[in-house]
Amino acid sequence: MVWKKKNVDKEGTINQEWASLIDEVENIERNKLSADIINALKKALVLFEKEGLVPFLERWFELDNFLGRKVKLLIGDKIITGVEKGINQQGALLLQQDNGEIIPYIGGEISLRSNEK
């Protein structure tokens, strides 16, 4: 079977670009990869339970693809635009408005998209 990377239609599934590890890494041992992910996740969850989000913030900012970029937030039917400024210690997304004010957004259903032309 050949998998094509594409946006998927109404029938059902992924509606944005996706990638497969098999395209990026040779000789993936799935069981070892799964065990490594589970073990790392267990350690991270114990740390999070003890200390909250703070120990993870530096790494978050290193990997944040949208940091400093123009973005749009999709919150229900609302679209809010601004410049993404990372997250705070509670995990709220920080969005800088046109007037310079930085507003935290936190919620169950927020989608973040690039708003760069």
Side-chain angles (χ1 to χ4, degrees), residues 4 8 29 42-43 47 60 63 70 75 83-85 89 104 106 108 112-113 115:
K4 295 184 180 182
V8 179
E29 166 112 24
K42 283 172 52 177
K43 288 178 187 175
L47 180 60
W60 179 277
L63 298 174
K70 293 179 181 180
I75 305 173
V83 176
E84 197 260 347
K85 294 294 184 178
Q89 292 181 359
I106 197 161
L112 178 65
R113 302 282 188 265
N115 200 29

Side-chain angles (χ1 to χ4, degrees), residues 30-116:
R30 291 184 299 174
N31 291 335
K32 181 176 179 345
L33 176 62
S34 297
D36 289 347
I37 290 171
I38 290 166
N39 288 329
L41 184 56
K42 283 172 52 177
K43 288 178 187 175
L45 289 172
V46 168
L47 180 60
F48 182 81
E49 187 175 66
K50 289 179 181 176
E51 300 183 37
L53 192 57
V54 173
F56 301 93
L57 288 175
E58 182 178 340
R59 182 89 168 126
W60 179 277
F61 280 91
E62 289 173 4
L63 298 174
D64 187 349
N65 183 45
F66 289 106
L67 187 63
R69 293 176 50 195
K70 293 179 181 180
V71 297
K72 59 184 172 184
L73 296 182
L74 310 175
I75 305 173
D77 293 336
K78 292 179 14 181
I79 297 175
I80 302 166
T81 60
V83 176
E84 197 260 347
K85 294 294 184 178
I87 60 174
N88 65 16
Q89 292 181 359
Q90 290 75 43
L93 181 74
L94 302 174
L95 192 68
Q96 184 175 28
Q97 305 295 295
D98 290 338
N99 66 4
E101 181 181 9
I102 297 176
I103 300 174
Y105 289 90
I106 197 161
E109 186 66 35
I110 298 176
S111 293
L112 178 65
R113 302 282 188 265
S114 174
N115 200 29
E116 295 175 334

